[in-house]
Amino acid sequence: MINKAGRDIPLVIPGFKEVKLYNGAFGTVPTGRVVGPKITVNKPRSEKIVKSIDQAIEATGLKSGMTISFHHHFRNGDYVLNMVVEAIARKGIKDITLAASSLTSTHDAIIPFIEQGVITAIETSGGRGKLGELFTSGKYLKKPVLIRSHGGRARAIESGELAIDVAFIGAPACDTYGNINGIEGKSACGSMGYAMCDATYADQVVAITDHLVPHPLFPISIPQTNVDYIVEVDAIGDPKGIASGALRISRDPKELIIAEYAASVIEYSGYFKNDYSLQLGSGGASLAAAQFIKEKMIEQGIVGSFGVGGITAPFIDMLEQGLFKTLFDVQDFDIPSIDSLRNNPNHLEMSASYYANPHNRGPIVNKLDVVILSATEVDVDFNVNVITNSNGVIMGASGGHCDTAAGAGLSIVVAPLLRGRLPMVLDRVHTIVTPGETVDVIVTERGVAVNPNRKDVLENLKEANIPLMSIEELQHIAYNLTGKPEAIPVTDDIVGVVEYRDGTILDVIRKPV
């Protein structure tokens, strides 16, 4: 069946109970009720601390066939996921569904346990490195890897589509009764936004910490009322992999041109005025755009209402200079951001549901004016791919891409026109992660294309000194330089399913030949 994004989706996908076709960004109306965890009790003066991860696994009653979850705030410094999966394997437990908010190359260590059948299904935001290659091979997992956006994952948890039996929370600071925050301890990661949903809705919650403190810990990100067991270990992560120093602003001439054009798009879009709101990505062009935007805000005396998303040092700089009134933070990428969350009362932590869940009473992305997003490739229908590479291999993550594009008044996608000898504007992207109907402007170093649906933005940008052209003209420039690329040959085997934020199927990833 052809969905509303024009993709051919089988009505039956192995391992999936029901296939609901994508029906437009807001074409699906939810029904039913929010679910909740099992009711439990903790009697006065009872003990939550157990001696080891093995003992915590036994206490939760985890058994073969269950679903476990993790959060990815420790990024490439994460030790928790690998330690827990190894402990599960030691106990002979198999057929586990791994529901991590995202996976990085540090999680390549679990590949042997996938091969051994300890983990047989994966639901996450994406995969990189050897894990991405394994997902694309179609080997070992009993069903295609399920790709969800950050908002879509929160929605799936709250609706019961993703039922978590045991959530394992890496806790940078935890007290003896289970209160957790992410701003203290040697493994501080900042916001605990992705873990909040898991802790609220999982049937059992285990906090694993390397910084156990007396009760009560404060401030509290995840409360004691959500935590069943606590394990103290030597280390839950490598601080060097969890957070870097302030991310370096790009010096790449191509990225700087893209950044300057993106800033000009914002300036002339009609959204650049007092109390506008902004989300930036963590990529080179996006960070560089922040510098240009900051200069324009100072020059024109503009003060924004809020910044949102994964937070980086450029946003902190703008908050401290009074250019934004507040920040909403679901994840921190660098040490200045963690320090700010700890010290600045105008820097607010939020859950993934507050951030981007489309089926609650209003995520913050609904109030977002402008977002800058990156892309692996785009197509002439403005569809965006950030999940598969030029060989069709899974190598990226959905993140909040489609969530913010749908919620923002103006979604800007920045990408080089060429990567090496490969054009980035295609007839058809290999995998759709964000549908073109929610993408307004595509910015490259050679030109800027506005979605024909946004005639208002196109009219405004005629005043900007930027090379406006149609998306077909951009593609023509690229093809003239490189030639038209051949489509990636694929088999009929589906190895990945891209779920839109509302739970419908936006695209499938077929195994390359």
Side-chain angles (χ1 to χ4, degrees):
M1 293 285 289
I2 304 298
N3 69 11
K4 201 158 185 178
R7 294 298 163 125
D8 188 2
I9 310 295
L11 286 180
V12 177
I13 298 176
F16 287 75
K17 293 179 181 177
E18 182 183 7
V19 174
K20 295 181 287 187
L21 298 181
Y22 172 73
N23 189 35
F26 298 97
T28 297
V29 178
T31 57
R33 290 180 175 274
V34 171
V35 299
K38 291 180 179 176
I39 296 173
T40 186
V41 63
N42 189 279
K43 295 180 180 177
R45 285 163 290 285
S46 59
E47 183 62 72
K48 290 187 178 182
I49 298 174
V50 295
K51 293 181 179 178
S52 65
I53 292 174
D54 288 69
Q55 198 173 93
I57 292 170
E58 292 169 9
T60 62
L62 183 72
K63 58 186 179 183
S64 298
M66 285 187 166
T67 296
I68 60 175
S69 81
F70 299 88
H71 61 102
H72 71 284
H73 294 99
F74 300 148
R75 303 193 299 150
N76 273 325
D78 182 31
Y79 292 165
V80 173
L81 190 152
N82 294 345
M83 286 194 297
V84 171
V85 171
E86 187 176 341
I88 289 171
R90 282 198 301 270
K91 293 186 169 301
I93 298 171
K94 295 200 169 188
D95 194 22
I96 289 293
T97 294
L98 172 63
S101 56
S102 197
L103 296 165
T104 71
S105 56
T106 196
H107 301 126
D108 286 349
I110 67 170
I111 288 176
F113 303 117
I114 296 174
E115 294 171 343
Q116 294 164 23
V118 177
I119 296 168
T120 55
I122 293 181
E123 301 181 13
T124 185
S125 175
R128 301 174 175 84
K130 293 179 181 177
L131 266 179
E133 293 172 3
L134 182 141
F135 297 162
T136 312
S137 75
K139 297 179 179 176
Y140 307 115
L141 297 176
K142 65 182 182 182
K143 66 177 187 179
V145 62
L146 178 56
I147 306 295
R148 287 194 177 103
S149 69
H150 291 327
R153 181 176 187 271
R155 178 206 57 77
I157 291 172
E158 294 187 6
S159 70
E161 289 176 25
L162 172 53
I164 300 169
D165 293 298
V166 185
F168 293 91
I169 309 293
C174 182
D175 70 28
T176 52
Y177 208 47
N179 295 300
I180 295 170
N181 74 40
I183 58 174
E184 299 176 30
K186 63 182 180 182
S187 302
C189 64
S191 174
M192 298 290 290
Y194 300 122
M196 291 175 177
C197 296
D198 299 39
T200 303
Y201 292 93
D203 278 347
Q204 302 263 339
V205 176
V206 178
I208 301 174
T209 186
D210 55 9
H211 187 61
L212 187 65
V213 300
H215 183 273
L217 169 76
F218 56 90
I220 298 169
S221 299
I222 294 173
Q224 63 192 39
T225 49
N226 288 347
V227 176
D228 296 283
Y229 302 102
I230 302 161
V231 183
E232 186 179 22
V233 297
D234 292 336
I236 58 175
D238 176 2
K240 294 179 181 176
I242 295 172
S244 64
L247 298 177
R248 185 182 60 81
I249 302 297
S250 176
R251 296 180 179 176
D252 182 299
K254 187 187 298 183
E255 287 191 339
L256 289 175
I257 293 172
I258 294 171
E260 193 165 5
Y261 287 165
S264 293
V265 168
I266 294 173
E267 181 182 12
Y268 287 91
S269 64
Y271 290 91
F272 193 60
K273 52 191 175 186
N274 277 328
D275 288 333
Y276 88 111
S277 55
L278 176 68
Q279 174 164 334
L280 298 167
S282 58
S286 186
L287 289 173
Q291 182 62 32
F292 292 114
I293 294 165
K294 173 185 162 185
E295 292 171 0
K296 293 177 187 296
M297 291 176 73
I298 293 173
E299 288 171 5
Q300 299 180 36
I302 288 176
V303 175
S305 61
F306 68 87
V308 65
I311 299 298
T312 55
F315 247 149
I316 301 305
D317 184 36
M318 288 193 276
L319 176 68
E320 292 177 349
Q321 292 195 38
L323 297 176
F324 281 99
K325 296 174 183 174
T326 189
L327 298 181
F328 290 98
D329 184 348
V330 71
Q331 179 183 11
D332 293 288
F333 287 90
D334 50 32
I335 292 170
S337 303
I338 298 170
D339 290 342
S340 173
L341 182 63
R342 182 187 301 117
N343 300 318
N344 192 329
N346 294 329
H347 185 161
L348 307 175
E349 192 174 13
M350 66 176 172
S351 73
S353 184
Y354 187 97
Y355 172 43
N357 177 357
H359 291 171
N360 61 26
R361 292 179 174 82
I364 195 69
V365 295
N366 284 2
K367 301 295 287 181
L368 183 58
D369 287 316
V370 181
V371 61
I372 302 178
L373 299 163
S374 59
T376 304
E377 56 189 23
V378 301
D379 67 25
V380 293
D381 294 318
F382 287 78
N383 296 308
V384 179
N385 174 22
V386 292
I387 198 83
T388 48
N389 67 12
S390 59
N391 296 315
V393 176
I394 296 170
M395 46 61 71
S398 172
H401 204 286
C402 69
D403 300 310
T404 50
L410 178 71
S411 61
I412 301 169
V413 170
V414 295
L417 190 62
L418 307 175
R419 281 196 174 91
R421 292 291 299 169
L422 296 173
M424 293 298 108
V425 182
L426 307 173
D427 292 334
R428 170 187 165 98
V429 293
H430 187 69
T431 309
I432 300 179
V433 169
T434 295
E437 66 176 292
T438 63
V439 175
D440 299 312
V441 182
I442 291 173
V443 178
T444 76
E445 76 279 14
R446 298 295 291 266
V448 176
V450 179
N451 191 320
N453 294 331
R454 294 304 306 268
K455 291 182 174 58
D456 57 328
V457 174
L458 179 60
E459 190 63 31
N460 289 339
L461 294 186
K462 289 177 180 175
E463 300 295 323
N465 185 27
I466 54 176
L468 288 174
M469 57 188 71
S470 70
I471 191 74
E472 289 81 8
E473 288 172 316
L474 267 181
Q475 183 193 43
H476 186 68
I477 294 172
Y479 282 11
N480 273 347
L481 293 168
T482 65
K484 182 177 179 178
E486 298 290 332
I488 300 168
V490 295
T491 68
D492 290 333
D493 298 338
I494 295 173
V495 296
V497 172
V498 180
E499 188 178 271
Y500 192 56
R501 60 198 299 255
D502 63 3
T504 59
I505 304 303
L506 179 60
D507 207 348
V508 294
I509 302 170
R510 291 181 167 85
K511 181 180 176 181
V513 173

